[in-house]
Amino acid sequence: MEVLKYLKGLTVMHLMFAIAFFTSGVIINFFQCVLYLGLRPFSRYLYRKINYYLCYSINCQLIFLTEWWSDSEIVLYIDKEDFKKYYGKEHGYIIMNHSYEIDWLMGWLLCDRIGVLGNCKAYAKKSVQYIPPLGWAWKFAESVFLERNWDKDREIIGRQIKELINHPDPIWLLLYAEGTRFTPEKREASQRFAREKGLPVLKYHLTPRTKGFTASVPYMKGKIPAVYDVQLAFKTSDTVNPSITNLLFGKKVVGHLYFNRIPMEEIPDDETGAAEWLHKHYQQKDRMAESFFETNDFFATSGVPRVEPFKLKKRYYAAINTLGWAVIVLVPMLYYLVNLFLSGSTVYFSIGVGILVLFYLLMKKTIGMSEISNSSSYGSTETKRVKS
């Protein structure tokens, strides 16, 4: 065990994971591009069926990092009757708190176990679509990329949701209604904004931005059966910070995920009513967060009906897929690099070093994008680095 722990802490191991992930991802992106241009114009149905597996092949490498490499887990709080009847069997619109670097990744663990990981979509900044391999994969998977220009974004949301609801298999579309990840600085700005506008003042969330939600609801009515409310929390007594870096070092985290299925019929049709519903809903989410942070229990003081926790067994597909790509990519890549380093040529040696440096920088850049200190500003003209 000590040897394994030592190996997980080695930069060379992290570098090999990065080489396999980025190289396999770009290979998959290439096939996605070919299918997008060559198949999608003739059969969107078949294109989406195939693309599911291509997206899954990229996404589940991060699942491997989470549940196999670091042995991380999720504890689920879901009504078991709803779980058996609906989860993984219908389109879902996901509203999740945005409080941690890996909140989306912990949600993906459930998505993998119910068979929708390859069809996870999200609202994202337009710039994300240019970042390989995940951004490219999300572009080919028809995620909703927004430009932060409301006139354009309203049209984009309508067009994209009309496309997504025609998927042959269940999709989950994720919205971070807070707009950006929670930090103490952003909470202060959010609370000032809420007081000025007469909105509920939240303690553990940022004031939700309602436009994306209210613009989406009319297109989802009658097409997407339910909104799934998701609340993620980690115990304050946990000694490991939930971050990509700690997962890479093989450090275990345990996420507590509350899911509540809300039929779409319960969401008001009009824009004002839908916005009020979202604000009221975030007050409940805030009570749940407060209850968990004070008692390690979502239900103790929140007033939300108690749901008993349970766990799902992890599947082997992520491990098989990741190890398969490791063999396909690393064997020829390491052979090529060794030949460069042993060639005796300064030029070839420099090329080998350059390749390793490139993958290292890609890895650090990708990790840096997920860090709370590098998330976007909220209501402030001066962005400060905030430690998580």
Side-chain angles (χ1 to χ4, degrees):
M1 291 299 293
E2 288 300 320
V3 173
L4 185 59
K5 183 179 179 180
Y6 172 75
L7 290 175
K8 289 180 179 181
L10 294 177
T11 300
V12 66
M13 298 296 292
H14 306 160
L15 194 54
M16 284 195 288
F17 181 84
I19 291 172
F21 175 71
F22 288 110
T23 304
S24 65
V26 171
I27 292 171
I28 292 169
N29 290 157
F30 170 77
F31 286 108
Q32 287 180 304
C33 183
V34 171
L35 292 170
Y36 187 88
L37 298 174
L39 178 60
R40 187 175 181 273
F42 306 101
S43 176
R44 294 193 179 188
Y45 175 87
L46 185 57
Y47 166 78
R48 287 165 171 168
K49 279 285 188 179
I50 297 173
N51 195 51
Y52 171 89
Y53 295 100
L54 296 176
C55 289
Y56 181 81
S57 189
I58 295 178
N59 295 348
C60 75
Q61 292 183 58
L62 298 177
I63 296 298
F64 171 83
L65 175 69
T66 306
E67 67 178 8
W68 291 95
W69 183 258
S70 74
D71 197 32
S72 295
E73 298 179 359
I74 51 172
V75 180
L76 299 171
Y77 301 80
I78 305 174
D79 181 275
K80 290 188 177 180
E81 291 302 316
D82 279 355
F83 184 78
K84 293 176 183 178
K85 187 175 181 180
Y86 299 112
Y87 283 66
K89 300 177 176 64
E90 64 179 4
H91 293 331
Y93 191 73
I94 314 302
I95 298 178
M96 188 176 190
N97 60 311
H98 202 8
S99 307
Y100 306 95
E101 292 180 22
I102 59 171
D103 41 26
W104 56 276
L105 192 49
M106 301 309 289
W108 274 13
L109 293 185
L110 174 62
C111 291
D112 179 45
R113 294 172 193 182
I114 64 174
V116 298
L117 181 61
N119 272 341
C120 289
K121 322 291 181 183
Y123 294 79
K125 294 183 294 186
K126 185 179 180 180
S127 59
V128 173
Q129 68 183 326
Y130 303 113
I131 302 172
L134 282 176
W136 292 356
W138 293 352
K139 177 63 176 177
F140 292 125
E142 303 167 289
S143 284
V144 183
F145 291 100
L146 304 177
E147 300 186 18
R148 301 297 173 91
N149 178 312
W150 180 238
D151 290 334
K152 293 182 179 179
D153 288 344
R154 183 191 293 272
E155 190 272 331
I156 291 170
I157 289 171
R159 183 179 68 247
Q160 285 298 103
I161 291 181
K162 286 180 181 178
E163 290 287 336
L164 291 174
I165 58 179
N166 293 319
H167 262 260
D169 299 306
I171 66 161
W172 277 16
L173 177 59
L174 170 65
L175 171 70
Y176 286 125
E178 294 164 86
T180 185
R181 192 178 292 118
F182 181 94
T183 68
E185 179 196 46
K186 294 172 189 175
R187 175 178 61 186
E188 292 178 8
S190 174
Q191 290 177 340
R192 287 197 301 270
F193 175 82
R195 292 188 186 100
E196 291 171 1
K197 301 296 182 180
L199 299 172
V201 177
L202 306 177
K203 185 177 180 181
Y204 295 93
H205 299 80
L206 306 179
T207 299
R209 302 175 181 183
T210 61
K211 285 186 176 180
F213 178 74
T214 58
S216 302
V217 168
Y219 297 99
M220 295 188 295
K221 290 282 187 172
K223 302 292 184 179
I224 294 182
V227 169
Y228 286 79
D229 171 42
V230 184
Q231 192 70 24
L232 169 67
F234 294 88
K235 291 185 177 181
T236 54
S237 59
D238 291 346
T239 57
V240 177
N241 184 45
S243 68
I244 294 288
T245 299
N246 280 333
L247 296 183
L248 200 58
F249 276 90
K251 297 180 180 180
K252 180 177 179 176
V253 298
V254 178
H256 295 258
L257 272 171
Y258 168 82
F259 270 76
N260 182 34
R261 182 184 183 275
I262 304 169
M264 189 62 69
E265 293 78 13
E266 295 184 12
I267 312 299
D269 294 325
D270 62 292
E271 185 173 325
T272 301
E276 290 177 353
W277 181 92
L278 187 64
H279 282 299
K280 184 177 180 181
H281 184 66
Y282 263 80
Q283 288 180 282
Q284 175 180 294
K285 291 174 73 67
D286 216 49
R287 292 194 300 271
M288 293 191 73
E290 183 172 46
S291 178
F292 193 91
F293 289 127
E294 291 181 350
T295 68
N296 288 328
D297 185 342
F298 284 123
F299 315 104
T301 62
S302 65
V304 176
R306 180 172 296 278
V307 179
E308 294 304 318
F310 65 95
K311 296 181 181 180
L312 294 174
K313 291 182 179 179
K314 57 187 177 184
R315 306 194 305 170
Y316 290 92
Y317 300 118
I320 294 170
N321 175 85
T322 304
L323 295 176
W325 275 117
V327 172
I328 293 170
V329 171
L330 290 178
V331 171
M333 180 68 77
L334 293 178
Y335 176 80
Y336 176 69
L337 288 172
V338 169
N339 284 337
L340 288 177
F341 290 133
L342 298 180
S343 66
S345 167
T346 303
V347 174
Y348 288 158
F349 185 88
S350 299
I351 292 173
V353 171
I355 291 173
L356 292 178
V357 170
L358 174 62
F359 281 109
Y360 180 80
L361 292 176
L362 282 171
M363 178 179 68
K364 298 299 288 185
K365 177 66 175 177
T366 302
I367 292 173
M369 288 174 57
S370 74
E371 290 177 350
I372 289 178
S373 59
N374 290 333
S375 56
S376 62
S377 60
Y378 184 100
S380 176
T381 57
E382 181 182 0
T383 303
K384 301 177 183 177
R385 297 182 69 84
V386 180
K387 297 295 182 181
S388 59

